[in-house]
Short mmCIF file of all heavy atoms in Angstrom, two decimals:
data_model
loop_
_atom_site.label_atom_id
_atom_site.label_comp_id
_atom_site.label_asym_id
_atom_site.label_seq_id
_atom_site.Cartn_x
_atom_site.Cartn_y
_atom_site.Cartn_z
N ALA A 22 0.55 12.08 6.94
CA ALA A 22 1.77 11.84 6.22
C ALA A 22 1.91 10.39 6.11
O ALA A 22 1.28 9.58 6.77
CB ALA A 22 2.98 12.44 6.93
N LEU A 23 2.82 9.93 5.15
CA LEU A 23 3.06 8.50 4.97
C LEU A 23 3.53 7.88 6.25
O LEU A 23 3.18 6.72 6.56
CB LEU A 23 4.09 8.30 3.91
CG LEU A 23 3.84 8.98 2.57
CD1 LEU A 23 4.98 8.60 1.50
CD2 LEU A 23 2.54 8.60 1.99
N SER A 24 4.22 8.58 7.10
CA SER A 24 4.74 8.07 8.36
C SER A 24 3.66 7.73 9.36
O SER A 24 3.93 6.94 10.34
CB SER A 24 5.65 9.03 9.04
OG SER A 24 5.02 10.32 9.29
N ASN A 25 2.45 8.24 9.16
CA ASN A 25 1.31 7.88 10.00
C ASN A 25 1.08 6.34 10.10
O ASN A 25 0.51 5.82 11.05
CB ASN A 25 0.02 8.52 9.62
CG ASN A 25 0.12 10.08 9.71
OD1 ASN A 25 -0.82 10.76 9.30
ND2 ASN A 25 1.12 10.61 10.28
N TRP A 26 1.45 5.69 9.01
CA TRP A 26 1.20 4.26 8.90
C TRP A 26 2.45 3.34 9.21
O TRP A 26 2.39 2.15 8.91
CB TRP A 26 0.76 3.96 7.43
CG TRP A 26 -0.50 4.59 7.04
CD1 TRP A 26 -0.73 5.59 6.19
CD2 TRP A 26 -1.86 4.12 7.34
NE1 TRP A 26 -2.05 5.90 6.00
CE2 TRP A 26 -2.77 5.03 6.70
CE3 TRP A 26 -2.34 3.05 8.13
CZ2 TRP A 26 -4.16 4.82 6.79
CZ3 TRP A 26 -3.74 2.92 8.27
CH2 TRP A 26 -4.61 3.82 7.61
N GLU A 27 3.50 3.93 9.82
CA GLU A 27 4.70 3.22 10.08
C GLU A 27 4.48 1.92 10.79
O GLU A 27 5.04 0.92 10.45
CB GLU A 27 5.60 4.12 10.87
CG GLU A 27 7.04 3.57 10.99
CD GLU A 27 8.03 4.56 11.48
OE1 GLU A 27 7.63 5.76 11.72
OE2 GLU A 27 9.23 4.17 11.56
N ASP A 28 3.69 1.93 11.81
CA ASP A 28 3.48 0.65 12.66
C ASP A 28 2.66 -0.38 11.85
O ASP A 28 2.87 -1.56 12.11
CB ASP A 28 2.74 1.00 13.96
CG ASP A 28 3.66 1.77 14.87
OD1 ASP A 28 4.66 1.16 15.42
OD2 ASP A 28 3.36 2.95 15.19
N VAL A 29 1.84 0.06 10.93
CA VAL A 29 1.10 -0.95 10.09
C VAL A 29 2.12 -1.53 9.12
O VAL A 29 2.06 -2.77 8.94
CB VAL A 29 -0.09 -0.19 9.35
CG1 VAL A 29 -0.64 -1.17 8.34
CG2 VAL A 29 -1.13 0.30 10.31
N ILE A 30 2.97 -0.74 8.48
CA ILE A 30 3.95 -1.29 7.62
C ILE A 30 4.84 -2.31 8.39
O ILE A 30 5.03 -3.44 7.86
CB ILE A 30 4.93 -0.15 7.06
CG1 ILE A 30 4.11 0.91 6.35
CG2 ILE A 30 5.93 -0.78 6.15
CD1 ILE A 30 4.88 2.15 5.87
N ASN A 31 5.35 -1.91 9.52
CA ASN A 31 6.27 -2.85 10.26
C ASN A 31 5.59 -4.16 10.59
O ASN A 31 6.16 -5.17 10.55
CB ASN A 31 6.73 -2.14 11.49
CG ASN A 31 7.79 -1.12 11.20
OD1 ASN A 31 8.60 -1.26 10.21
ND2 ASN A 31 7.85 -0.01 11.96
N GLU A 32 4.30 -4.07 10.93
CA GLU A 32 3.49 -5.30 11.37
C GLU A 32 3.20 -6.18 10.18
O GLU A 32 3.21 -7.44 10.38
CB GLU A 32 2.25 -4.81 12.07
CG GLU A 32 1.38 -5.96 12.55
CD GLU A 32 1.96 -6.82 13.65
OE1 GLU A 32 2.79 -6.22 14.50
OE2 GLU A 32 1.65 -7.98 13.79
N PHE A 33 2.91 -5.60 9.02
CA PHE A 33 2.33 -6.45 7.99
C PHE A 33 3.26 -6.66 6.73
O PHE A 33 2.89 -7.51 5.87
CB PHE A 33 1.01 -5.85 7.54
CG PHE A 33 -0.06 -5.90 8.59
CD1 PHE A 33 -0.34 -4.89 9.43
CD2 PHE A 33 -0.88 -7.10 8.67
CE1 PHE A 33 -1.36 -4.93 10.41
CE2 PHE A 33 -1.87 -7.16 9.64
CZ PHE A 33 -2.11 -6.11 10.50
N LYS A 34 4.42 -6.01 6.73
CA LYS A 34 5.22 -6.17 5.52
C LYS A 34 5.84 -7.57 5.37
O LYS A 34 6.27 -7.93 4.23
CB LYS A 34 6.33 -5.14 5.53
CG LYS A 34 7.34 -5.30 6.65
CD LYS A 34 8.40 -4.24 6.55
CE LYS A 34 9.43 -4.43 7.72
NZ LYS A 34 10.47 -3.44 7.69
N SER A 35 5.83 -8.39 6.38
CA SER A 35 6.32 -9.72 6.24
C SER A 35 5.34 -10.73 5.54
O SER A 35 5.74 -11.69 4.98
CB SER A 35 6.65 -10.39 7.65
OG SER A 35 5.46 -10.37 8.46
N GLU A 36 4.09 -10.27 5.53
CA GLU A 36 3.00 -11.16 4.88
C GLU A 36 2.34 -10.45 3.75
O GLU A 36 1.77 -11.14 2.86
CB GLU A 36 1.95 -11.48 5.94
CG GLU A 36 2.38 -12.41 7.04
CD GLU A 36 1.21 -12.72 7.92
OE1 GLU A 36 0.23 -13.35 7.49
OE2 GLU A 36 1.26 -12.34 9.16
N TYR A 37 2.44 -9.08 3.61
CA TYR A 37 1.66 -8.36 2.67
C TYR A 37 2.56 -7.43 1.96
O TYR A 37 3.66 -7.07 2.35
CB TYR A 37 0.56 -7.59 3.29
CG TYR A 37 -0.61 -8.41 3.88
CD1 TYR A 37 -0.47 -8.90 5.14
CD2 TYR A 37 -1.70 -8.72 3.12
CE1 TYR A 37 -1.52 -9.68 5.65
CE2 TYR A 37 -2.73 -9.49 3.60
CZ TYR A 37 -2.61 -9.98 4.90
OH TYR A 37 -3.66 -10.83 5.39
N ARG A 38 2.08 -7.00 0.78
CA ARG A 38 2.73 -5.89 -0.02
C ARG A 38 2.05 -4.61 0.38
O ARG A 38 0.85 -4.35 0.01
CB ARG A 38 2.63 -6.19 -1.45
CG ARG A 38 3.28 -5.23 -2.40
CD ARG A 38 3.09 -5.70 -3.86
NE ARG A 38 3.38 -4.74 -4.88
CZ ARG A 38 2.92 -4.69 -6.14
NH1 ARG A 38 1.96 -5.64 -6.43
NH2 ARG A 38 3.21 -3.80 -6.94
N VAL A 39 2.70 -3.85 1.25
CA VAL A 39 2.03 -2.61 1.77
C VAL A 39 2.49 -1.42 0.93
O VAL A 39 3.69 -1.08 0.78
CB VAL A 39 2.44 -2.43 3.25
CG1 VAL A 39 1.76 -1.25 3.83
CG2 VAL A 39 2.27 -3.69 4.03
N ILE A 40 1.50 -0.70 0.40
CA ILE A 40 1.80 0.41 -0.52
C ILE A 40 1.04 1.69 0.00
O ILE A 40 -0.15 1.63 0.30
CB ILE A 40 1.34 0.10 -1.92
CG1 ILE A 40 2.01 -1.19 -2.47
CG2 ILE A 40 1.65 1.22 -2.91
CD1 ILE A 40 1.53 -1.58 -3.81
N ILE A 41 1.78 2.78 0.10
CA ILE A 41 1.24 4.06 0.52
C ILE A 41 1.53 5.12 -0.45
O ILE A 41 2.67 5.58 -0.47
CB ILE A 41 1.68 4.46 1.92
CG1 ILE A 41 1.84 3.32 2.88
CG2 ILE A 41 0.80 5.58 2.48
CD1 ILE A 41 2.44 3.67 4.19
N PRO A 42 0.54 5.54 -1.36
CA PRO A 42 0.85 6.62 -2.26
C PRO A 42 0.79 7.98 -1.44
O PRO A 42 -0.01 8.10 -0.59
CB PRO A 42 -0.24 6.57 -3.25
CG PRO A 42 -1.32 5.91 -2.54
CD PRO A 42 -0.74 4.93 -1.58
N MET A 43 1.62 8.86 -1.84
CA MET A 43 1.55 10.30 -1.34
C MET A 43 0.41 11.01 -2.11
O MET A 43 0.54 11.19 -3.31
CB MET A 43 2.90 10.96 -1.47
CG MET A 43 2.88 12.36 -0.81
SD MET A 43 4.56 13.13 -1.08
CE MET A 43 5.45 12.25 0.09
N LEU A 44 -0.62 11.38 -1.43
CA LEU A 44 -1.68 12.11 -2.13
C LEU A 44 -1.26 13.47 -2.50
O LEU A 44 -0.62 14.22 -1.61
CB LEU A 44 -2.98 12.14 -1.22
CG LEU A 44 -3.53 10.86 -0.77
CD1 LEU A 44 -4.69 11.16 0.25
CD2 LEU A 44 -4.04 10.09 -1.98
N PRO A 45 -1.52 14.00 -3.71
CA PRO A 45 -0.97 15.30 -4.18
C PRO A 45 -1.93 16.48 -3.69
O PRO A 45 -2.46 17.22 -4.45
CB PRO A 45 -1.16 15.14 -5.70
CG PRO A 45 -2.35 14.22 -5.90
CD PRO A 45 -2.26 13.23 -4.78
N LEU A 46 -1.93 16.58 -2.34
CA LEU A 46 -2.82 17.50 -1.70
C LEU A 46 -2.47 18.98 -2.13
O LEU A 46 -3.36 19.81 -2.23
CB LEU A 46 -2.75 17.41 -0.18
CG LEU A 46 -3.21 16.07 0.37
CD1 LEU A 46 -2.82 16.04 1.79
CD2 LEU A 46 -4.68 15.78 0.20
N TYR A 47 -1.21 19.28 -2.34
CA TYR A 47 -0.81 20.61 -2.61
C TYR A 47 -0.41 20.93 -4.07
O TYR A 47 0.01 21.94 -4.35
CB TYR A 47 0.40 20.96 -1.70
CG TYR A 47 0.21 20.53 -0.27
CD1 TYR A 47 1.01 19.70 0.37
CD2 TYR A 47 -0.99 21.03 0.45
CE1 TYR A 47 0.81 19.29 1.73
CE2 TYR A 47 -1.20 20.69 1.79
CZ TYR A 47 -0.29 19.76 2.37
OH TYR A 47 -0.56 19.38 3.65
N ASP A 48 -0.57 19.86 -4.89
CA ASP A 48 -0.07 19.99 -6.29
C ASP A 48 -1.19 20.15 -7.27
O ASP A 48 -0.96 20.31 -8.51
CB ASP A 48 0.72 18.74 -6.65
CG ASP A 48 1.84 18.53 -5.70
OD1 ASP A 48 2.45 19.59 -5.17
OD2 ASP A 48 2.22 17.34 -5.32
N LEU A 49 -2.45 19.95 -6.89
CA LEU A 49 -3.54 19.97 -7.81
C LEU A 49 -3.86 21.44 -8.16
O LEU A 49 -3.80 22.38 -7.32
CB LEU A 49 -4.80 19.34 -7.25
CG LEU A 49 -4.72 17.85 -6.83
CD1 LEU A 49 -5.93 17.40 -6.11
CD2 LEU A 49 -4.53 17.03 -8.08
N PRO A 50 -4.35 21.75 -9.41
CA PRO A 50 -4.86 23.01 -9.66
C PRO A 50 -6.05 23.39 -8.71
O PRO A 50 -6.85 22.53 -8.34
CB PRO A 50 -5.40 22.88 -11.10
CG PRO A 50 -4.76 21.76 -11.68
CD PRO A 50 -4.57 20.78 -10.50
N LEU A 51 -6.05 24.63 -8.31
CA LEU A 51 -7.05 24.97 -7.26
C LEU A 51 -8.48 24.60 -7.65
O LEU A 51 -9.27 24.21 -6.76
CB LEU A 51 -6.93 26.48 -6.91
CG LEU A 51 -7.68 26.99 -5.67
CD1 LEU A 51 -7.22 26.21 -4.39
CD2 LEU A 51 -7.43 28.47 -5.40
N LEU A 52 -8.86 24.85 -8.91
CA LEU A 52 -10.18 24.61 -9.28
C LEU A 52 -10.60 23.13 -9.21
O LEU A 52 -11.78 22.72 -9.18
CB LEU A 52 -10.37 25.05 -10.73
CG LEU A 52 -10.53 26.61 -10.92
CD1 LEU A 52 -10.62 26.94 -12.44
CD2 LEU A 52 -11.73 27.15 -10.21
N THR A 53 -9.59 22.26 -9.28
CA THR A 53 -9.88 20.79 -9.21
C THR A 53 -9.51 20.20 -7.91
O THR A 53 -9.54 18.93 -7.82
CB THR A 53 -9.23 20.03 -10.38
OG1 THR A 53 -7.79 20.22 -10.27
CG2 THR A 53 -9.68 20.50 -11.70
N THR A 54 -9.10 21.00 -6.93
CA THR A 54 -8.74 20.41 -5.63
C THR A 54 -9.95 19.94 -4.86
O THR A 54 -10.83 20.69 -4.50
CB THR A 54 -8.04 21.51 -4.76
OG1 THR A 54 -6.75 21.86 -5.37
CG2 THR A 54 -7.79 21.00 -3.34
N GLY A 55 -10.04 18.58 -4.73
CA GLY A 55 -11.21 18.05 -4.08
C GLY A 55 -11.11 16.53 -3.93
O GLY A 55 -10.18 15.89 -4.49
N VAL A 56 -12.00 15.90 -3.17
CA VAL A 56 -11.91 14.52 -2.85
C VAL A 56 -12.13 13.67 -4.16
O VAL A 56 -11.49 12.63 -4.26
CB VAL A 56 -12.97 14.12 -1.78
CG1 VAL A 56 -12.46 14.59 -0.42
CG2 VAL A 56 -14.34 14.68 -2.10
N LYS A 57 -12.99 14.08 -5.08
CA LYS A 57 -13.19 13.29 -6.26
C LYS A 57 -11.94 13.23 -7.15
O LYS A 57 -11.56 12.22 -7.74
CB LYS A 57 -14.32 13.93 -7.12
CG LYS A 57 -15.68 13.62 -6.65
CD LYS A 57 -16.72 14.17 -7.59
CE LYS A 57 -18.14 13.78 -7.19
NZ LYS A 57 -19.20 14.27 -8.09
N THR A 58 -11.14 14.39 -7.23
CA THR A 58 -9.95 14.44 -7.92
C THR A 58 -8.86 13.46 -7.29
O THR A 58 -8.16 12.74 -7.99
CB THR A 58 -9.36 15.86 -8.02
OG1 THR A 58 -10.42 16.72 -8.45
CG2 THR A 58 -8.17 15.92 -8.90
N LEU A 59 -8.87 13.44 -5.96
CA LEU A 59 -7.95 12.47 -5.31
C LEU A 59 -8.29 11.05 -5.63
O LEU A 59 -7.44 10.21 -5.79
CB LEU A 59 -7.94 12.70 -3.83
CG LEU A 59 -7.23 14.06 -3.28
CD1 LEU A 59 -7.32 14.09 -1.82
CD2 LEU A 59 -5.87 14.09 -3.77
N SER A 60 -9.55 10.72 -5.68
CA SER A 60 -10.02 9.36 -6.03
C SER A 60 -9.55 9.03 -7.46
O SER A 60 -9.14 7.89 -7.69
CB SER A 60 -11.54 9.30 -5.92
OG SER A 60 -12.02 8.01 -6.37
N LYS A 61 -9.63 9.90 -8.40
CA LYS A 61 -9.20 9.75 -9.77
C LYS A 61 -7.71 9.51 -9.77
O LYS A 61 -7.16 8.66 -10.52
CB LYS A 61 -9.61 10.85 -10.66
CG LYS A 61 -11.10 10.98 -10.90
CD LYS A 61 -11.52 12.24 -11.68
CE LYS A 61 -12.99 12.33 -11.86
NZ LYS A 61 -13.34 13.62 -12.52
N TYR A 62 -6.98 10.22 -8.95
CA TYR A 62 -5.51 10.08 -8.79
C TYR A 62 -5.23 8.68 -8.33
O TYR A 62 -4.33 7.96 -8.84
CB TYR A 62 -5.00 11.07 -7.87
CG TYR A 62 -3.50 10.95 -7.62
CD1 TYR A 62 -2.58 11.56 -8.45
CD2 TYR A 62 -2.98 10.30 -6.50
CE1 TYR A 62 -1.22 11.43 -8.22
CE2 TYR A 62 -1.67 10.17 -6.25
CZ TYR A 62 -0.80 10.71 -7.13
OH TYR A 62 0.56 10.59 -6.85
N ILE A 63 -5.93 8.24 -7.36
CA ILE A 63 -5.74 6.79 -6.84
C ILE A 63 -6.04 5.75 -7.95
O ILE A 63 -5.26 4.78 -8.09
CB ILE A 63 -6.62 6.56 -5.55
CG1 ILE A 63 -6.10 7.37 -4.44
CG2 ILE A 63 -6.57 5.06 -5.25
CD1 ILE A 63 -4.65 7.14 -4.06
N HIS A 64 -7.04 6.01 -8.77
CA HIS A 64 -7.33 5.14 -9.84
C HIS A 64 -6.15 5.04 -10.88
O HIS A 64 -5.80 3.98 -11.26
CB HIS A 64 -8.61 5.56 -10.55
CG HIS A 64 -9.02 4.63 -11.71
ND1 HIS A 64 -9.17 3.25 -11.48
CD2 HIS A 64 -9.33 4.91 -12.99
CE1 HIS A 64 -9.53 2.73 -12.66
NE2 HIS A 64 -9.64 3.69 -13.62
N LYS A 65 -5.60 6.22 -11.14
CA LYS A 65 -4.45 6.24 -12.04
C LYS A 65 -3.28 5.51 -11.34
O LYS A 65 -2.56 4.78 -12.12
CB LYS A 65 -4.01 7.67 -12.35
CG LYS A 65 -4.99 8.46 -13.23
CD LYS A 65 -4.52 9.89 -13.38
CE LYS A 65 -5.61 10.73 -14.17
NZ LYS A 65 -5.18 12.15 -14.11
#
C-alpha cells in the first residue's frame, strides 16, 4: 500500500518531491492484468 513508504516520505520530503502512484491492481480488465500493463500505466 502507499503507507508502506511512510518513513521514506517523512525522511525525504524536505529535500525531494516524493510521489507514490496507487497501482490499479484491481481495476484492470482481467485479460490485461499483468506487469507490462502496470508499466504502461506508470508511463501514462
